[in-house]
Amino acid sequence: MNQLAVAIHKLNEGRMDLEGCHLNSLELNALKLLSNLLEMSPADLAAHLQLEDDPTEWLINPPIVFSSMKQVS
Amino acid sequence: MDPQKRKSNSISSLPEFVSGIIRESIPEGDYQRRLEGTAASLIRDFQDMVTLNFLPSISIGAVVEDLNKSIPITAAWQLIRLAAKLYDDAEDNESGSIDGKAINLATGFLFVAHAALDKLTEYGISHEQSQRVKTEFNRACLLTCAGQDLDLSARWDQIVPTPDDWLEIARKKSGESFAWASWAGIYVAGTSEEMQASLRRYGLHLGILVQIADDFNGIWNSTITNDLSAYRVTLPISYAYYVSKSDKQATLLGLLSNAQQRSPEVILKGQNLLLALGAQKFMLAAAQVQRQEAVEAISQCCISSLSKQKLIFLLDLAFSALPPLE
């Protein structure tokens, strides 16, 4: 989670130097799902994360919309 | 009888089950009425069944139609969550003052939860299975207490845990109890070790996801005491401190110090600083990781697609507690 924090912080600042961030596949997937929130196109994010899969798929499966404000506990 | 109706009917006896335990355990009086009244207001029937409170029933329902065996486990699960909520409120001092009666009520619910599990053999569960469920319950509860102790010990004015440290605390504080609830249901149904491990792993990540949602709401959706005005280190604070350079860290700590006065203006400044540092985005990414871990855990399980849908619905329920980004 520390590496994910660093990656999100860099992306939030518009920095693309993610080479030193060691993210596992689930963390990469999470970033991909949140690419619109990071104000970045999926293609740009994929390029910076050096992902091999097709970023156009992300447009077909858009990120979850967080709409409810329901408390859970 | 319609299978869905039969399932519903068996779990619908949950409120009466809990009331029965309370009545047979202690003589009639004010404390008994308070225990029963509080439990009755929170332990609901089957109408709202696909919720976190029914995790053990949903788990057992993944492999058998008859949910009867899950009643003592579901009761214990709801009672322990109720006790934990009362303790948590007292420890976080959200009521503004220590409420001794609330603490005493929470302690009562711990014993009622144990009494509920003592009924397992009356529900067709073997003595060995019953003993294992209770042993694992005690282990999960003690890990929750250990996690809570770490959480209470982590103060931003002393040492700020990293996000990885926070994850370990959340695993103990919340993950292990959800793991028990998810595992116990399927265990008493007599399933394979592999399936038990899958459901346990699912519950672990669901519990961590719930904690992430709680931490999110503690900063940006708090109706009582904002987490910024407490000394606790929740995940947004851990993230912000971890990724900041020393000048920003000093600004953050200064704001947290001033926020102790509960000034809405200072709290707003703190919220905005965390927002600017990307804390909300990090929370959503961290939640997404936990959701994926949980989905992956049940992806290979031999359970019906309806059961998988219910389990995934619980994840989405926890996920939906994260409000929209500002």
Side-chain angles (χ1 to χ4, degrees), chain B residues 226 228 258-259 261-271:
Chain B
N226 192 291
L228 286 168
N258 291 333
Q261 306 304 318
R262 301 187 180 185
S263 150
E265 192 184 326
V266 176
I267 287 170
L268 184 62
K269 275 187 185 172
Q271 288 171 326

Side-chain angles (χ1 to χ4, degrees), chain A residues 5-73:
Chain A
V6 172
I8 292 274
H9 184 240
K10 285 184 175 181
L11 291 166
N12 186 59
E13 288 189 330
R15 289 162 57 190
M16 304 301 171
D17 52 327
L18 298 178
E19 293 81 10
C21 298
H22 302 288
L23 302 175
N24 63 36
S25 60
L26 295 178
E27 290 169 334
L28 287 171
N29 268 334
L31 285 186
K32 169 169 106 163
L33 287 166
L34 298 169
S35 61
N36 67 331
L37 302 176
L38 296 164
E39 294 167 5
M40 205 176 270
S41 77
D44 282 348
L45 185 60
H48 292 299
L49 296 173
Q50 297 175 325
L51 294 176
E52 290 175 357
D53 56 346
D54 180 3
T56 54
E57 277 186 24
W58 309 346
L59 302 175
I60 299 165
N61 300 301
I64 293 168
V65 177
F66 310 103
S67 55
S68 166
M69 294 181 74
K70 191 173 176 184
Q71 293 275 8
V72 290
S73 65

Side-chain angles (χ1 to χ4, degrees), chain B residues 87-242:
Chain B
Y87 280 130
D88 217 27
D89 286 351
E91 285 162 1
D92 292 344
N93 204 11
E94 288 184 357
S95 58
S97 61
I98 298 295
D99 184 347
K101 283 202 162 186
I103 293 172
N104 195 39
L105 202 60
T107 307
F109 284 128
L110 295 183
F111 289 99
V112 182
H114 275 276
L117 293 179
D118 281 338
K119 300 280 182 191
L120 278 166
T121 50
E122 294 175 24
Y123 282 74
I125 294 160
S126 72
H127 178 73
E128 289 75 17
Q129 279 187 317
S130 166
Q131 202 53 45
R132 172 96 191 271
V133 168
K134 285 189 271 189
T135 302
E136 293 287 330
F137 178 74
N138 288 337
R139 180 186 154 276
C141 289
L142 284 168
L143 280 169
T144 301
C145 293
Q148 180 70 356
D149 188 63
L150 286 171
D151 196 28
L152 291 168
S153 304
R155 291 168 52 112
W156 56 258
D157 59 338
Q158 292 170 1
I159 187 166
V160 182
T162 68
D164 277 348
D165 294 335
W166 179 94
L167 185 64
E168 184 56 21
I169 293 171
R171 186 184 70 76
K172 287 183 177 140
K173 182 180 166 178
S174 179
E176 291 290 349
S177 61
F178 275 81
W180 173 82
S182 182
W183 163 83
I186 209 150
Y187 169 70
V188 297
T191 55
S192 67
E193 291 281 343
E194 192 181 357
M195 194 176 282
Q196 290 172 42
S198 296
L199 265 290
R200 192 189 279 273
R201 192 178 144 210
Y202 161 87
L204 179 75
H205 293 293
L206 171 62
I208 297 171
L209 177 53
V210 167
Q211 193 59 53
I212 291 173
D214 267 3
D215 279 17
F216 191 114
N217 285 309
I219 299 280
W220 286 289
N221 192 28
S222 176
T223 51
I224 312 172
T225 305
N226 192 291
D227 283 349
L228 286 168
S229 60
Y231 280 96
R232 43 194 315 223
V233 181
T234 59
L235 188 56
I237 295 170
S238 166
Y239 162 83
Y241 190 83
Y242 184 72

Side-chain angles (χ1 to χ4, degrees), chain B residues 239-251:
Chain B
Y239 162 83
Y241 190 83
Y242 184 72
V243 299
S244 295
K245 293 203 170 75
S246 56
D247 59 329
K248 275 269 169 51
Q249 285 180 342
T251 306

